[in-house]
Amino acid sequence: MTDKEKIISRLTDIQRDIESVKTELAGVDITSIPDEEKIRRQIEAIERFARADTPEEQAEIDAFLAYMDAEEERKRERYAVSS
């Protein structure tokens, strides 16, 4: 599997996870949750997402981050405002 295919596969998994979370949250009243608890939950979710348990997962994360950096650079060059 190429790096591009791995990234697409990973992003597809992330989309499925997000849909699953949306479904779970549909019945939850988040207005009753204190802000500190919301922040704690968000931090835990970010940590779980960013954790690489295997070298393959770390390679996928590194490839994704390199892709995102390249995209940001491309956008910066394309939309640069001349001063």
Side-chain angles (χ1 to χ4, degrees), residues 2-49:
T2 66
D3 286 342
K4 184 177 180 180
E5 290 170 331
K6 288 179 183 179
I7 291 170
I8 291 171
S9 174
R10 184 72 171 185
L11 290 173
T12 303
D13 291 343
I14 291 169
Q15 285 177 324
R16 261 188 258 127
D17 292 343
I18 289 171
E19 288 304 317
S20 174
V21 169
K22 283 182 181 178
T23 303
E24 289 176 22
L25 291 178
V28 176
D29 179 18
I30 61 169
T31 58
S32 64
I33 301 172
D35 287 341
E36 295 82 17
E37 178 66 15
K38 289 179 194 174
I39 293 168
R40 186 189 61 76
R41 288 182 184 184
Q42 289 173 345
I43 291 171
E44 286 176 1
I46 291 167
E47 288 173 346
R48 276 194 309 273
F49 174 74

Side-chain angles (χ1 to χ4, degrees), residues 69-82:
D69 289 342
E71 279 298 299
E72 286 301 316
E73 182 61 30
R74 181 190 66 79
K75 286 190 268 183
R76 196 172 12 262
E77 289 174 3
R78 181 174 180 159
Y79 301 109
V81 177
S82 301

